[in-house]
Amino acid sequence: NYAFLVYLLGLPALLLVAFNLPNERLKAVSSRPFSASLKRFAPSVIGMYLQMLLFFIFPTNFAITARANEALTGNDITLIMVGLDVVAAIIGVIFGWMMKNMGRSVKYMAPLTFMVGYALFAMGTATSLLLSGAFFVGLANGIGMPYLNTIASIKGGKDAATTVMPLISAAMYLGQFTSPLIVSPISEAVGGANSPYLVGVAISVLFLIQAFLSKKYQAYEV
């Protein structure tokens, strides 16, 4: 139960916000109807929903399926899961360089790395598959999250805080909440211990198609 004490980290964060962030007020309020905003920012909103839908397949299922690997202890499985976040954090640090040097290809990287990661998990529970799969899912999360937020904020411009960013936040939490509700029934119908990862591969394909179909918005991506 002591693990939940990690949320006390919110207290120093609160103090940093109180003493360092300016006490500003939003002056620009969008007069655009909700339906119009949703239509305009649909590619980013749908992309974020699929991103979170895919990512939460990992924490929901990994610890359970990885137990089939008798060579790994509970601590080993925990370290692999933490290592995924370390990979995502490192990618976040170099993300600015990626956007400048890799251009429009960045938009396809999260769907593709999700696809590879979950395909590796679906192939079995060998330690090499678990480690490499976690690495690719970490890449996908480290690329997809900052990319979608960056493109949304660029497209929203000075009104992003009152238009697209609330929609992005809603898509994030909706994807997190509905991931097990969508993936679990399909996985049970498919059958097999690794079926959640097969569903992840299928959703990754949908994510890739969605990224390709939103290509008319590429002018905002470089």
Side-chain angles (χ1 to χ4, degrees):
N1 292 339
Y2 291 135
F4 291 98
L5 292 176
V6 70
Y7 291 103
L8 291 176
L9 290 173
L11 294 178
L14 179 64
L15 294 175
L16 288 171
V17 169
F19 288 106
N20 294 284
L21 287 187
N23 187 25
E24 296 181 353
R25 297 289 186 269
L26 292 175
K27 298 178 181 179
V29 178
S30 176
S31 59
R32 184 186 297 268
F34 173 77
S35 58
S37 293
L38 186 59
K39 181 179 180 181
R40 180 186 179 196
F41 301 118
S44 296
V45 175
I46 295 172
M48 182 60 75
Y49 175 76
L50 292 173
Q51 170 81 23
M52 300 305 286
L53 190 69
L54 278 166
F55 173 72
F56 274 90
I57 294 175
F58 175 81
T60 305
N61 297 279
F62 183 78
I64 298 172
T65 57
R67 288 180 183 176
N69 185 327
E70 296 180 356
L72 296 177
T73 66
N75 287 336
D76 293 333
I77 294 172
T78 300
L79 288 173
I80 293 174
M81 298 183 73
V82 172
L84 178 148
D85 291 328
V86 172
V87 171
I90 293 172
I91 295 299
V93 171
I94 65 172
F95 180 75
W97 176 89
M98 294 176 65
M99 284 290 286
K100 290 180 180 178
N101 293 276
M102 303 181 71
R104 297 175 180 178
S105 63
V106 176
K107 73 181 297 185
Y108 302 108
M109 293 182 67
L112 288 172
T113 48
F114 268 131
M115 192 183 306
V116 172
Y118 287 131
L120 289 167
F121 287 150
M123 291 170 62
T125 58
T127 302
S128 58
L129 293 175
L130 296 179
L131 288 172
S132 54
F135 173 78
F136 278 102
V137 173
L139 281 180
N141 198 44
I143 295 170
M145 290 295 291
Y147 172 79
L148 290 167
N149 278 290
T150 298
I151 297 306
S153 62
I154 292 174
K155 189 168 177 60
K158 62 183 179 62
D159 295 332
T162 57
T163 54
V164 64
M165 298 316 294
L167 296 175
I168 289 291
S169 296
M172 286 176 56
Y173 292 115
L174 185 63
Q176 177 180 345
F177 175 73
T178 60
S179 182
L181 299 179
I182 292 174
V183 174
S184 295
I186 300 175
S187 300
E188 292 175 4
V190 173
N194 292 332
S195 58
Y197 306 126
L198 294 175
V199 177
V201 172
I203 297 175
S204 298
V205 173
L206 292 177
F207 193 9
L208 183 61
I209 293 172
Q210 185 270 340
F212 178 77
L213 293 178
S214 64
K215 62 183 179 180
K216 66 179 181 179
Y217 295 92
Q218 285 180 343
Y220 294 94
E221 299 171 17
V222 291

